[in-house]
Amino acid sequence: MLKKKNLPVPRADNVVIADSFLSPSAFGEIFNRHFDHIHRYLQRHVGTDMADDLASQTFLIAFDRRSSFDLAKATARPWLFGIAANLMREHLREFRRRLRAYDRIDRGGGLDELDGVEERADAAALRRQLAAALADLPAAELETLLLHAWAELSYQEVAEALSLPIGTVSSRLNRMRARMHDLLGDGQDDAATLGGSR
Amino acid sequence: MTKRMEGFERVSQLFEGLPDPEPEAREAARAELLARFEATARHSGQPAPRVPLFVRGAAWVAQAFKRPRRARLIFVAACTAALVAAAVTVIGNDVASPPAYAVEPQPGGGVKIEIYSLSQPEGVEAALEEAGVASQINYLEAGMTCREPHYRPSMAMLRTLAPDQPQPQPWAGFDFESANGPVTFAVGDFQQRRAIENEFREAVRNGDSSAPEALDFVIDPTGFRPDQTLIVTSSPTPDGYQQPSRPHQPGVHIIPGTVHIDTVGQVRVAEGEVGPCEPVPAVDGPAPVRAPEGGWDFSEVPYAGWGFGFGPGRAR
């Protein structure tokens, strides 16, 4: 029996997925690597309970459709987020409702660090306004924006996730960046957090 | 905040800082996925899904270079294929026995060599020779290995599939543990490897369990110098053994489960003269390639194009 050695070099996602064609359980490693990220992403949309279910579904679907994964890609992240985003489309109404009820759902991480009641109130109001604006975005734009802003996928990765040309992703995001700017006023980019200089 | 997020900082703060999934939720999802794995294995009608190869050795390269990310397991050939044209030749022990290996010419040149059992190594050597690759194929009894050193290990320069990798990169061979017999490899080039792999993927997609063989690796003969030799050493495991799923990453949770390993071995490149393989009991598995005193001298590896492809394995 060979001595077991842990590879100091993790195998890339594509190698793991290639293995899983004939050894399904190899796919477990994809779950281990990405489940928490996918869960967190879904949780921000629909809350914990539904995210538990959707994150689980994401990986079942990914496993069933693993032959659609492009083995030339070293990471499965965009592919998995694409599946998660697709699932979210079914729950868009719930998500919009959450955005509109933002105030009651999210107490606003980071707000406590702000000095003064007024600043906190301003920041909270701004977030509420932002959330409401997101709730009114068309589905495709919202999805593109959040894959970028929440899942932290690059333009290229968002394009992969949604099977869109990168130009489409880029123009959508640029358009929305301008819209954010209009909505939130000048100087928002300078503020590291809400409640920074306004 | 990364540069690319610029302009969306405030969006990224919405619903930020939610807790990680509850361990119970994670475990429930994992259990559901496990059930799906099992259902898939049952559905395919195969007694045990084949894990083509557990390959080690890329890590070794990483250690040598102290740049772990440079070592990846997907390597592809860089140069053109050897043009080897021959009729399909299946060579068996005798009429009654299943063949020990098969040599199949590929469209566009090159050959695919499938080894079914650890016998007739000289036939595999001859096929490789014809394809332009000098080799020493050592099939040993269970628990045996060659007394080392019986050759001078060499480095090969390879190209990899990963787009973010430096190209080419050095490679010193690999160890394998297989759940379904010895390695399957080809002499050819990257294009050919992809063609074979695509054929395999298509068959898997269509649920064809008698899928054409995919490859464990591809040798590009144009990357071989005449004084280099491919060394393949392989032996069955004594009674087979269950290979537990292994962590490949520190801190990564592992789905419990095992695969049945029936064959182990090594693939190496030798520089210069190769001595005979003298079988000795393997104390700790096949002897790893060890760096010579003072480390490897990479100044002597100006050539490129020795290819290695790691495909999705093969179904039988």
mmCIF file of all heavy atoms in Angstrom, chain A residues 2-3 9 22-23 29 32 36 40 43-44 56 63-64 67 69 148-150 152 177 194, chain B residues 4-6 10-12 14 19-20 26 30 32 36 40 49-51 177 201 248 253 284 286:
data_model
loop_
_atom_site.group_PDB
_atom_site.id
_atom_site.type_symbol
_atom_site.label_atom_id
_atom_site.label_comp_id
_atom_site.label_asym_id
_atom_site.label_seq_id
_atom_site.Cartn_x
_atom_site.Cartn_y
_atom_site.Cartn_z
ATOM 1 N N LEU A 2 0.517 2.121 -0.846
ATOM 2 C CA LEU A 2 1.327 3.331 -0.959
ATOM 3 C C LEU A 2 1.108 4.234 0.232
ATOM 4 O O LEU A 2 0.035 4.306 0.791
ATOM 5 C CB LEU A 2 0.941 4.098 -2.224
ATOM 6 C CG LEU A 2 1.231 3.375 -3.526
ATOM 7 C CD1 LEU A 2 0.795 4.232 -4.689
ATOM 8 C CD2 LEU A 2 2.707 3.046 -3.638
ATOM 9 N N LYS A 3 2.161 4.894 0.550
ATOM 10 C CA LYS A 3 2.043 5.877 1.616
ATOM 11 C C LYS A 3 1.180 7.035 1.115
ATOM 12 O O LYS A 3 1.345 7.499 -0.008
ATOM 13 C CB LYS A 3 3.443 6.379 1.951
ATOM 14 C CG LYS A 3 3.491 7.299 3.131
ATOM 15 C CD LYS A 3 4.934 7.726 3.344
ATOM 16 C CE LYS A 3 4.989 8.885 4.302
ATOM 17 N NZ LYS A 3 6.333 9.459 4.350
ATOM 18 N N VAL A 9 -0.213 20.743 -3.887
ATOM 19 C CA VAL A 9 -0.850 21.517 -4.946
ATOM 20 C C VAL A 9 -2.282 21.018 -5.117
ATOM 21 O O VAL A 9 -2.488 19.879 -5.491
ATOM 22 C CB VAL A 9 -0.121 21.319 -6.289
ATOM 23 C CG1 VAL A 9 -0.762 22.178 -7.366
ATOM 24 C CG2 VAL A 9 1.333 21.640 -6.127
ATOM 25 N N LEU A 22 -16.177 9.456 -14.085
ATOM 26 C CA LEU A 22 -16.175 8.027 -13.803
ATOM 27 C C LEU A 22 -16.133 7.723 -12.319
ATOM 28 O O LEU A 22 -16.375 6.608 -11.913
ATOM 29 C CB LEU A 22 -15.027 7.362 -14.553
ATOM 30 C CG LEU A 22 -15.382 7.349 -16.038
ATOM 31 C CD1 LEU A 22 -14.170 7.356 -16.910
ATOM 32 C CD2 LEU A 22 -16.302 6.201 -16.358
ATOM 33 N N SER A 23 -15.831 8.708 -11.544
ATOM 34 C CA SER A 23 -15.894 8.531 -10.108
ATOM 35 C C SER A 23 -16.738 9.668 -9.545
ATOM 36 O O SER A 23 -16.215 10.703 -9.150
ATOM 37 C CB SER A 23 -14.488 8.586 -9.527
ATOM 38 O OG SER A 23 -14.580 8.580 -8.125
ATOM 39 N N GLU A 29 -15.486 17.186 -3.945
ATOM 40 C CA GLU A 29 -14.492 18.216 -3.699
ATOM 41 C C GLU A 29 -14.949 19.575 -4.231
ATOM 42 O O GLU A 29 -14.619 20.617 -3.672
ATOM 43 C CB GLU A 29 -13.177 17.806 -4.366
ATOM 44 C CG GLU A 29 -12.008 18.489 -3.734
ATOM 45 C CD GLU A 29 -10.709 17.800 -4.091
ATOM 46 O OE1 GLU A 29 -10.653 16.547 -4.032
ATOM 47 O OE2 GLU A 29 -9.770 18.509 -4.443
ATOM 48 N N ASN A 32 -17.098 20.869 -1.578
ATOM 49 C CA ASN A 32 -16.306 21.361 -0.438
ATOM 50 C C ASN A 32 -15.707 22.738 -0.715
ATOM 51 O O ASN A 32 -15.645 23.586 0.153
ATOM 52 C CB ASN A 32 -15.174 20.388 -0.132
ATOM 53 C CG ASN A 32 -15.681 19.055 0.360
ATOM 54 O OD1 ASN A 32 -16.770 18.977 0.912
ATOM 55 N ND2 ASN A 32 -14.914 17.996 0.140
ATOM 56 N N ASP A 36 -19.948 27.035 0.466
ATOM 57 C CA ASP A 36 -20.184 28.183 1.347
ATOM 58 C C ASP A 36 -20.356 29.476 0.554
ATOM 59 O O ASP A 36 -21.198 30.308 0.888
ATOM 60 C CB ASP A 36 -19.047 28.334 2.362
ATOM 61 C CG ASP A 36 -19.159 27.298 3.482
ATOM 62 O OD1 ASP A 36 -19.977 26.365 3.340
ATOM 63 O OD2 ASP A 36 -18.427 27.419 4.479
ATOM 64 N N ARG A 40 -23.740 31.637 0.598
ATOM 65 C CA ARG A 40 -23.742 33.024 1.044
ATOM 66 C C ARG A 40 -24.410 33.930 -0.001
ATOM 67 O O ARG A 40 -25.164 34.827 0.308
ATOM 68 C CB ARG A 40 -22.302 33.485 1.303
ATOM 69 C CG ARG A 40 -22.167 34.412 2.480
ATOM 70 C CD ARG A 40 -20.705 34.605 2.849
ATOM 71 N NE ARG A 40 -20.118 33.407 3.410
ATOM 72 C CZ ARG A 40 -18.910 32.952 3.090
ATOM 73 N NH1 ARG A 40 -18.170 33.567 2.193
ATOM 74 N NH2 ARG A 40 -18.438 31.874 3.674
ATOM 75 N N GLN A 43 -28.089 33.302 0.057
ATOM 76 C CA GLN A 43 -28.627 33.790 1.321
ATOM 77 C C GLN A 43 -28.896 35.298 1.261
ATOM 78 O O GLN A 43 -29.868 35.790 1.819
ATOM 79 C CB GLN A 43 -27.607 33.481 2.417
ATOM 80 C CG GLN A 43 -28.141 33.531 3.816
ATOM 81 C CD GLN A 43 -27.037 33.268 4.827
ATOM 82 O OE1 GLN A 43 -25.864 33.225 4.486
ATOM 83 N NE2 GLN A 43 -27.405 33.099 6.069
ATOM 84 N N ARG A 44 -28.040 35.994 0.564
ATOM 85 C CA ARG A 44 -28.241 37.444 0.461
ATOM 86 C C ARG A 44 -29.499 37.754 -0.349
ATOM 87 O O ARG A 44 -30.103 38.789 -0.185
ATOM 88 C CB ARG A 44 -27.019 38.100 -0.202
ATOM 89 C CG ARG A 44 -25.803 38.091 0.713
ATOM 90 C CD ARG A 44 -24.559 38.585 0.024
ATOM 91 N NE ARG A 44 -24.399 40.031 0.121
ATOM 92 C CZ ARG A 44 -23.273 40.671 -0.214
ATOM 93 N NH1 ARG A 44 -22.224 39.997 -0.657
ATOM 94 N NH2 ARG A 44 -23.197 41.968 -0.096
ATOM 95 N N SER A 56 -28.132 23.633 -2.068
ATOM 96 C CA SER A 56 -28.105 22.185 -2.252
ATOM 97 C C SER A 56 -28.491 21.824 -3.689
ATOM 98 O O SER A 56 -27.812 21.045 -4.360
ATOM 99 C CB SER A 56 -29.058 21.542 -1.249
ATOM 100 O OG SER A 56 -29.142 20.169 -1.477
ATOM 101 N N PHE A 63 -23.803 18.738 -10.595
ATOM 102 C CA PHE A 63 -23.324 17.357 -10.742
ATOM 103 C C PHE A 63 -23.967 16.690 -11.952
ATOM 104 O O PHE A 63 -23.290 16.083 -12.782
ATOM 105 C CB PHE A 63 -23.622 16.568 -9.473
ATOM 106 C CG PHE A 63 -23.290 15.112 -9.593
ATOM 107 C CD1 PHE A 63 -21.967 14.697 -9.652
ATOM 108 C CD2 PHE A 63 -24.285 14.159 -9.684
ATOM 109 C CE1 PHE A 63 -21.649 13.354 -9.798
ATOM 110 C CE2 PHE A 63 -23.976 12.823 -9.825
ATOM 111 C CZ PHE A 63 -22.659 12.417 -9.882
ATOM 112 N N ASP A 64 -25.290 16.844 -12.065
ATOM 113 C CA ASP A 64 -25.997 16.218 -13.188
ATOM 114 C C ASP A 64 -25.535 16.765 -14.536
ATOM 115 O O ASP A 64 -25.541 16.067 -15.530
ATOM 116 C CB ASP A 64 -27.510 16.439 -13.055
ATOM 117 C CG ASP A 64 -28.099 15.598 -11.915
ATOM 118 O OD1 ASP A 64 -27.405 14.682 -11.452
ATOM 119 O OD2 ASP A 64 -29.242 15.880 -11.502
ATOM 120 N N SER A 67 -21.141 17.451 -17.479
ATOM 121 C CA SER A 67 -20.567 17.310 -18.822
ATOM 122 C C SER A 67 -20.658 18.632 -19.597
ATOM 123 O O SER A 67 -20.002 18.794 -20.615
ATOM 124 C CB SER A 67 -21.249 16.184 -19.584
ATOM 125 O OG SER A 67 -22.625 16.432 -19.670
ATOM 126 N N PHE A 69 -19.709 21.388 -18.317
ATOM 127 C CA PHE A 69 -18.628 22.243 -17.821
ATOM 128 C C PHE A 69 -17.466 22.188 -18.815
ATOM 129 O O PHE A 69 -17.079 21.124 -19.276
ATOM 130 C CB PHE A 69 -18.159 21.770 -16.442
ATOM 131 C CG PHE A 69 -16.980 22.538 -15.915
ATOM 132 C CD1 PHE A 69 -17.135 23.853 -15.486
ATOM 133 C CD2 PHE A 69 -15.711 21.983 -15.891
ATOM 134 C CE1 PHE A 69 -16.051 24.579 -15.016
ATOM 135 C CE2 PHE A 69 -14.618 22.698 -15.425
ATOM 136 C CZ PHE A 69 -14.792 23.999 -14.983
ATOM 137 N N HIS A 148 -21.494 40.335 -10.116
ATOM 138 C CA HIS A 148 -20.272 41.131 -10.037
ATOM 139 C C HIS A 148 -20.051 41.671 -8.617
ATOM 140 O O HIS A 148 -18.985 41.487 -8.031
ATOM 141 C CB HIS A 148 -20.359 42.278 -11.046
ATOM 142 C CG HIS A 148 -19.153 43.161 -11.063
ATOM 143 N ND1 HIS A 148 -17.886 42.691 -11.363
ATOM 144 C CD2 HIS A 148 -19.013 44.487 -10.809
ATOM 145 C CE1 HIS A 148 -17.026 43.695 -11.290
ATOM 146 N NE2 HIS A 148 -17.675 44.792 -10.953
ATOM 147 N N ALA A 149 -21.080 42.293 -8.062
ATOM 148 C CA ALA A 149 -20.908 42.992 -6.780
ATOM 149 C C ALA A 149 -20.963 42.053 -5.574
ATOM 150 O O ALA A 149 -20.296 42.290 -4.581
ATOM 151 C CB ALA A 149 -21.970 44.078 -6.646
ATOM 152 N N TRP A 150 -21.742 41.003 -5.656
ATOM 153 C CA TRP A 150 -21.863 40.093 -4.507
ATOM 154 C C TRP A 150 -20.985 38.850 -4.680
ATOM 155 O O TRP A 150 -20.315 38.431 -3.752
ATOM 156 C CB TRP A 150 -23.321 39.666 -4.307
ATOM 157 C CG TRP A 150 -24.174 40.732 -3.679
ATOM 158 C CD1 TRP A 150 -23.775 42.001 -3.335
ATOM 159 C CD2 TRP A 150 -25.556 40.633 -3.325
ATOM 160 N NE1 TRP A 150 -24.825 42.681 -2.799
ATOM 161 C CE2 TRP A 150 -25.941 41.882 -2.773
ATOM 162 C CE3 TRP A 150 -26.519 39.616 -3.423
ATOM 163 C CZ2 TRP A 150 -27.229 42.133 -2.313
ATOM 164 C CZ3 TRP A 150 -27.800 39.873 -2.972
ATOM 165 C CH2 TRP A 150 -28.159 41.120 -2.421
ATOM 166 N N GLU A 152 -18.573 38.671 -6.660
ATOM 167 C CA GLU A 152 -17.237 39.166 -6.985
ATOM 168 C C GLU A 152 -16.626 38.462 -8.191
ATOM 169 O O GLU A 152 -15.446 38.146 -8.229
ATOM 170 C CB GLU A 152 -16.304 39.090 -5.771
ATOM 171 C CG GLU A 152 -16.838 39.931 -4.616
ATOM 172 C CD GLU A 152 -15.821 40.168 -3.506
ATOM 173 O OE1 GLU A 152 -14.643 39.839 -3.711
ATOM 174 O OE2 GLU A 152 -16.224 40.696 -2.467
ATOM 175 N N ARG A 177 -23.475 51.345 -13.351
ATOM 176 C CA ARG A 177 -22.554 52.144 -12.548
ATOM 177 C C ARG A 177 -22.974 53.621 -12.630
ATOM 178 O O ARG A 177 -23.013 54.317 -11.613
ATOM 179 C CB ARG A 177 -21.124 51.954 -13.051
ATOM 180 C CG ARG A 177 -20.096 52.664 -12.204
ATOM 181 C CD ARG A 177 -18.672 52.356 -12.620
ATOM 182 N NE ARG A 177 -18.233 51.060 -12.127
ATOM 183 C CZ ARG A 177 -17.922 50.029 -12.879
ATOM 184 N NH1 ARG A 177 -18.028 50.108 -14.188
ATOM 185 N NH2 ARG A 177 -17.515 48.907 -12.345
ATOM 186 N N LEU A 194 -20.498 53.201 3.619
ATOM 187 C CA LEU A 194 -21.598 54.143 3.693
ATOM 188 C C LEU A 194 -21.365 55.012 4.915
ATOM 189 O O LEU A 194 -20.938 54.534 5.947
ATOM 190 C CB LEU A 194 -22.917 53.393 3.860
ATOM 191 C CG LEU A 194 -23.507 52.823 2.579
ATOM 192 C CD1 LEU A 194 -24.692 51.968 2.930
ATOM 193 C CD2 LEU A 194 -23.905 53.915 1.629
ATOM 194 N N ARG B 4 -12.008 46.260 -9.509
ATOM 195 C CA ARG B 4 -13.057 45.940 -10.483
ATOM 196 C C ARG B 4 -14.458 46.184 -9.924
ATOM 197 O O ARG B 4 -15.437 46.233 -10.640
ATOM 198 C CB ARG B 4 -12.921 44.501 -10.957
ATOM 199 C CG ARG B 4 -13.217 43.492 -9.870
ATOM 200 C CD ARG B 4 -12.928 42.110 -10.335
ATOM 201 N NE ARG B 4 -13.518 41.202 -9.364
ATOM 202 C CZ ARG B 4 -13.126 39.991 -9.150
ATOM 203 N NH1 ARG B 4 -12.141 39.492 -9.820
ATOM 204 N NH2 ARG B 4 -13.715 39.225 -8.259
ATOM 205 N N MET B 5 -14.532 46.286 -8.595
ATOM 206 C CA MET B 5 -15.842 46.506 -7.989
ATOM 207 C C MET B 5 -16.177 47.986 -7.929
ATOM 208 O O MET B 5 -17.223 48.367 -7.437
ATOM 209 C CB MET B 5 -15.846 45.947 -6.570
ATOM 210 C CG MET B 5 -15.451 44.514 -6.478
ATOM 211 S SD MET B 5 -16.799 43.475 -6.954
ATOM 212 C CE MET B 5 -17.870 43.852 -5.573
ATOM 213 N N GLU B 6 -15.260 48.784 -8.390
ATOM 214 C CA GLU B 6 -15.417 50.225 -8.269
ATOM 215 C C GLU B 6 -16.791 50.679 -8.767
ATOM 216 O O GLU B 6 -17.243 50.281 -9.828
ATOM 217 C CB GLU B 6 -14.327 50.901 -9.098
ATOM 218 C CG GLU B 6 -13.911 52.245 -8.561
ATOM 219 C CD GLU B 6 -12.742 52.772 -9.343
ATOM 220 O OE1 GLU B 6 -11.682 52.111 -9.341
ATOM 221 O OE2 GLU B 6 -12.909 53.818 -9.969
ATOM 222 N N ARG B 10 -21.344 50.206 -2.631
ATOM 223 C CA ARG B 10 -22.524 50.250 -1.754
ATOM 224 C C ARG B 10 -23.458 49.091 -2.021
ATOM 225 O O ARG B 10 -24.106 48.594 -1.119
ATOM 226 C CB ARG B 10 -23.216 51.595 -1.910
ATOM 227 C CG ARG B 10 -22.340 52.645 -1.252
ATOM 228 C CD ARG B 10 -22.902 54.019 -1.324
ATOM 229 N NE ARG B 10 -22.003 54.905 -0.586
ATOM 230 C CZ ARG B 10 -22.079 56.217 -0.600
ATOM 231 N NH1 ARG B 10 -23.003 56.800 -1.309
ATOM 232 N NH2 ARG B 10 -21.231 56.929 0.088
ATOM 233 N N VAL B 11 -23.513 48.676 -3.280
ATOM 234 C CA VAL B 11 -24.322 47.490 -3.576
ATOM 235 C C VAL B 11 -23.725 46.295 -2.844
ATOM 236 O O VAL B 11 -24.444 45.481 -2.262
ATOM 237 C CB VAL B 11 -24.351 47.212 -5.098
ATOM 238 C CG1 VAL B 11 -25.104 45.925 -5.373
ATOM 239 C CG2 VAL B 11 -24.978 48.372 -5.842
ATOM 240 N N SER B 12 -22.403 46.233 -2.838
ATOM 241 C CA SER B 12 -21.775 45.060 -2.224
ATOM 242 C C SER B 12 -21.960 45.040 -0.710
ATOM 243 O O SER B 12 -21.739 44.020 -0.079
ATOM 244 C CB SER B 12 -20.293 44.996 -2.593
ATOM 245 O OG SER B 12 -19.598 46.002 -1.908
ATOM 246 N N LEU B 14 -24.892 45.668 0.725
ATOM 247 C CA LEU B 14 -26.254 45.238 1.050
ATOM 248 C C LEU B 14 -26.251 43.764 1.459
ATOM 249 O O LEU B 14 -25.660 42.927 0.777
ATOM 250 C CB LEU B 14 -27.179 45.423 -0.157
ATOM 251 C CG LEU B 14 -27.422 46.861 -0.626
ATOM 252 C CD1 LEU B 14 -28.317 46.856 -1.860
ATOM 253 C CD2 LEU B 14 -28.032 47.712 0.472
ATOM 254 N N PRO B 19 -24.243 35.188 8.145
ATOM 255 C CA PRO B 19 -23.427 34.082 8.691
ATOM 256 C C PRO B 19 -23.192 32.984 7.656
ATOM 257 O O PRO B 19 -23.948 32.866 6.687
ATOM 258 C CB PRO B 19 -24.282 33.566 9.849
ATOM 259 C CG PRO B 19 -25.683 33.953 9.495
ATOM 260 C CD PRO B 19 -25.580 35.254 8.752
ATOM 261 N N ASP B 20 -22.167 32.194 7.890
ATOM 262 C CA ASP B 20 -21.914 31.010 7.069
ATOM 263 C C ASP B 20 -23.089 30.052 7.231
ATOM 264 O O ASP B 20 -23.814 30.132 8.208
ATOM 265 C CB ASP B 20 -20.639 30.303 7.550
ATOM 266 C CG ASP B 20 -19.402 31.019 7.042
ATOM 267 O OD1 ASP B 20 -19.541 31.846 6.120
ATOM 268 O OD2 ASP B 20 -18.310 30.750 7.568
ATOM 269 N N ARG B 26 -25.155 22.394 5.756
ATOM 270 C CA ARG B 26 -24.088 21.948 4.859
ATOM 271 C C ARG B 26 -24.075 20.426 4.767
ATOM 272 O O ARG B 26 -23.977 19.849 3.688
ATOM 273 C CB ARG B 26 -22.744 22.463 5.357
ATOM 274 C CG ARG B 26 -21.668 22.449 4.301
ATOM 275 C CD ARG B 26 -20.302 22.778 4.850
ATOM 276 N NE ARG B 26 -20.119 24.174 5.192
ATOM 277 C CZ ARG B 26 -19.882 24.617 6.426
ATOM 278 N NH1 ARG B 26 -19.841 23.769 7.447
ATOM 279 N NH2 ARG B 26 -19.715 25.898 6.659
ATOM 280 N N ARG B 30 -24.691 17.999 1.635
ATOM 281 C CA ARG B 30 -23.659 17.028 1.284
ATOM 282 C C ARG B 30 -24.263 15.626 1.178
ATOM 283 O O ARG B 30 -23.962 14.869 0.259
ATOM 284 C CB ARG B 30 -22.564 17.047 2.360
ATOM 285 C CG ARG B 30 -21.272 16.348 1.965
ATOM 286 C CD ARG B 30 -20.420 16.088 3.188
ATOM 287 N NE ARG B 30 -20.083 17.300 3.935
ATOM 288 C CZ ARG B 30 -19.033 18.070 3.646
ATOM 289 N NH1 ARG B 30 -18.243 17.772 2.652
ATOM 290 N NH2 ARG B 30 -18.785 19.144 4.367
ATOM 291 N N GLU B 32 -27.303 14.867 0.481
ATOM 292 C CA GLU B 32 -28.141 14.773 -0.712
ATOM 293 C C GLU B 32 -27.283 14.517 -1.962
ATOM 294 O O GLU B 32 -27.628 13.726 -2.829
ATOM 295 C CB GLU B 32 -28.916 16.078 -0.892
ATOM 296 C CG GLU B 32 -30.378 15.845 -1.184
ATOM 297 C CD GLU B 32 -31.139 17.161 -1.260
ATOM 298 O OE1 GLU B 32 -30.961 18.004 -0.355
ATOM 299 O OE2 GLU B 32 -31.881 17.328 -2.225
ATOM 300 N N ARG B 36 -26.952 11.269 -4.541
ATOM 301 C CA ARG B 36 -26.970 11.387 -5.998
ATOM 302 C C ARG B 36 -25.779 10.639 -6.608
ATOM 303 O O ARG B 36 -25.907 9.988 -7.629
ATOM 304 C CB ARG B 36 -26.945 12.870 -6.396
ATOM 305 C CG ARG B 36 -27.078 13.137 -7.876
ATOM 306 C CD ARG B 36 -28.442 12.773 -8.421
ATOM 307 N NE ARG B 36 -29.533 13.493 -7.789
ATOM 308 C CZ ARG B 36 -30.081 14.611 -8.270
ATOM 309 N NH1 ARG B 36 -29.666 15.123 -9.395
ATOM 310 N NH2 ARG B 36 -31.072 15.193 -7.638
ATOM 311 N N THR B 40 -26.084 7.565 -9.161
ATOM 312 C CA THR B 40 -25.414 7.595 -10.459
ATOM 313 C C THR B 40 -24.595 6.331 -10.664
ATOM 314 O O THR B 40 -24.626 5.714 -11.714
ATOM 315 C CB THR B 40 -24.491 8.822 -10.540
ATOM 316 O OG1 THR B 40 -25.254 9.971 -10.232
ATOM 317 C CG2 THR B 40 -23.882 8.941 -11.923
ATOM 318 N N PRO B 49 -17.296 2.851 -9.828
ATOM 319 C CA PRO B 49 -16.861 3.836 -10.815
ATOM 320 C C PRO B 49 -15.345 3.858 -10.874
ATOM 321 O O PRO B 49 -14.680 3.726 -9.848
ATOM 322 C CB PRO B 49 -17.412 5.139 -10.275
ATOM 323 C CG PRO B 49 -17.623 4.904 -8.820
ATOM 324 C CD PRO B 49 -17.913 3.456 -8.666
ATOM 325 N N ARG B 50 -14.843 4.011 -12.065
ATOM 326 C CA ARG B 50 -13.404 4.014 -12.208
ATOM 327 C C ARG B 50 -12.859 5.403 -11.917
ATOM 328 O O ARG B 50 -13.343 6.395 -12.446
ATOM 329 C CB ARG B 50 -13.023 3.643 -13.634
ATOM 330 C CG ARG B 50 -11.566 3.848 -13.937
ATOM 331 C CD ARG B 50 -11.279 3.549 -15.380
ATOM 332 N NE ARG B 50 -10.131 4.300 -15.847
ATOM 333 C CZ ARG B 50 -8.889 3.988 -15.592
ATOM 334 N NH1 ARG B 50 -8.617 2.950 -14.860
ATOM 335 N NH2 ARG B 50 -7.904 4.719 -16.058
ATOM 336 N N VAL B 51 -11.886 5.437 -11.083
ATOM 337 C CA VAL B 51 -11.117 6.652 -10.932
ATOM 338 C C VAL B 51 -9.891 6.404 -11.772
ATOM 339 O O VAL B 51 -9.145 5.475 -11.496
ATOM 340 C CB VAL B 51 -10.687 6.871 -9.474
ATOM 341 C CG1 VAL B 51 -9.804 8.093 -9.374
ATOM 342 C CG2 VAL B 51 -11.908 7.022 -8.618
ATOM 343 N N GLU B 177 -2.047 5.719 -9.066
ATOM 344 C CA GLU B 177 -2.804 4.651 -8.410
ATOM 345 C C GLU B 177 -4.075 4.552 -9.224
ATOM 346 O O GLU B 177 -4.788 5.541 -9.372
ATOM 347 C CB GLU B 177 -3.149 5.051 -6.975
ATOM 348 C CG GLU B 177 -1.931 5.259 -6.105
ATOM 349 C CD GLU B 177 -2.303 5.912 -4.777
ATOM 350 O OE1 GLU B 177 -3.430 6.416 -4.662
ATOM 351 O OE2 GLU B 177 -1.464 5.913 -3.888
ATOM 352 N N ARG B 201 -16.051 12.338 -23.946
ATOM 353 C CA ARG B 201 -17.034 13.153 -23.221
ATOM 354 C C ARG B 201 -18.406 13.040 -23.849
ATOM 355 O O ARG B 201 -19.424 12.987 -23.165
ATOM 356 C CB ARG B 201 -16.591 14.619 -23.197
ATOM 357 C CG ARG B 201 -15.443 14.858 -22.245
ATOM 358 C CD ARG B 201 -14.937 16.271 -22.330
ATOM 359 N NE ARG B 201 -15.959 17.257 -22.020
ATOM 360 C CZ ARG B 201 -15.778 18.569 -22.167
ATOM 361 N NH1 ARG B 201 -14.641 19.028 -22.614
ATOM 362 N NH2 ARG B 201 -16.727 19.405 -21.857
ATOM 363 N N HIS B 248 -6.931 17.126 -0.825
ATOM 364 C CA HIS B 248 -5.939 17.679 -1.734
ATOM 365 C C HIS B 248 -5.571 19.088 -1.315
ATOM 366 O O HIS B 248 -4.745 19.721 -1.903
ATOM 367 C CB HIS B 248 -6.487 17.709 -3.153
ATOM 368 C CG HIS B 248 -6.697 16.332 -3.693
ATOM 369 N ND1 HIS B 248 -5.667 15.490 -3.976
ATOM 370 C CD2 HIS B 248 -7.823 15.652 -3.974
ATOM 371 C CE1 HIS B 248 -6.146 14.344 -4.418
ATOM 372 N NE2 HIS B 248 -7.450 14.417 -4.424
ATOM 373 N N HIS B 253 -12.876 19.806 3.636
ATOM 374 C CA HIS B 253 -13.626 18.657 4.117
ATOM 375 C C HIS B 253 -13.698 17.631 3.000
ATOM 376 O O HIS B 253 -13.800 17.974 1.851
ATOM 377 C CB HIS B 253 -15.047 19.049 4.498
ATOM 378 C CG HIS B 253 -15.090 20.122 5.520
ATOM 379 N ND1 HIS B 253 -14.789 19.892 6.834
ATOM 380 C CD2 HIS B 253 -15.363 21.440 5.417
ATOM 381 C CE1 HIS B 253 -14.895 21.028 7.498
ATOM 382 N NE2 HIS B 253 -15.234 21.984 6.654
ATOM 383 N N ASP B 284 7.921 1.054 0.715
ATOM 384 C CA ASP B 284 6.997 2.182 0.896
ATOM 385 C C ASP B 284 6.414 2.591 -0.452
ATOM 386 O O ASP B 284 6.416 3.752 -0.814
ATOM 387 C CB ASP B 284 7.762 3.345 1.544
ATOM 388 C CG ASP B 284 6.811 4.463 1.941
ATOM 389 O OD1 ASP B 284 5.625 4.166 2.162
ATOM 390 O OD2 ASP B 284 7.261 5.610 2.007
ATOM 391 N N PRO B 286 6.270 2.461 -4.708
ATOM 392 C CA PRO B 286 7.314 2.712 -5.702
ATOM 393 C C PRO B 286 8.214 3.853 -5.253
ATOM 394 O O PRO B 286 7.746 4.811 -4.661
ATOM 395 C CB PRO B 286 6.517 3.117 -6.942
ATOM 396 C CG PRO B 286 5.136 2.630 -6.711
ATOM 397 C CD PRO B 286 4.938 2.619 -5.229
#
